[in-house]
Amino acid sequence: MDTALTLKDGLLLIIGICVILLLIYLIRVVRALLPTLKNVQKITEDAGQLTGMAANAASGAEDAVTSIMDSTEDMTEFIKNNKSTVKALVSFINAVVAIKQLFGTK
């Protein structure tokens, strides 16, 4: 039984062998990349947790700043409404200091 191998059959055989070798190479590359992909997944999960923590901290800081702003506005309004009282208190303190200096010994 004689089998004749044509040039077309030879090329197809070489291409088939190359495809099989390429598949083997790709399988080895994917197997080597799996641990790296697992590490990347862990890193992205950690980054997501850190982002969530930072967002919570920023929200808390925003609440604190809002609270301080409200307190400052309240104090400003209180001082503005009681300006005459504050002036009277300052005048009273100045008078007490002047009397103390007047009767103080040198």
Side-chain angles (χ1 to χ4, degrees):
M1 197 179 206
D2 289 332
T3 306
L5 201 69
T6 63
L7 187 59
K8 181 179 177 183
D9 293 336
L11 286 175
L12 286 176
L13 184 63
I14 291 173
I15 291 173
I17 291 171
C18 288
V19 167
I20 291 172
L21 290 175
L22 181 64
L23 285 175
I24 292 171
Y25 179 74
L26 287 175
I27 289 170
R28 291 179 70 188
V29 168
V30 169
R31 187 180 297 160
L33 285 177
L34 283 177
T36 304
L37 292 175
K38 288 179 182 178
N39 287 336
V40 168
Q41 182 181 6
K42 288 179 186 177
I43 290 170
T44 54
E45 288 173 359
D46 290 343
Q49 289 176 351
L50 289 175
T51 303
M53 291 169 59
N56 290 339
S59 175
E62 182 180 354
D63 292 343
V65 168
T66 303
S67 176
I68 290 171
M69 223 168 57
D70 292 342
S71 298
T72 304
E73 288 175 3
D74 292 344
M75 289 294 290
T76 304
E77 188 68 26
F78 176 76
I79 291 171
K80 185 188 280 185
N81 290 337
N82 296 315
K83 204 174 198 180
S84 61
T85 306
V86 172
K87 282 184 181 180
L89 184 61
V90 169
S91 296
F92 177 74
I93 292 172
N94 287 338
V96 169
V97 169
I99 291 172
K100 184 178 178 184
Q101 288 178 351
L102 182 64
F103 292 112
T105 58
K106 291 187 180 181

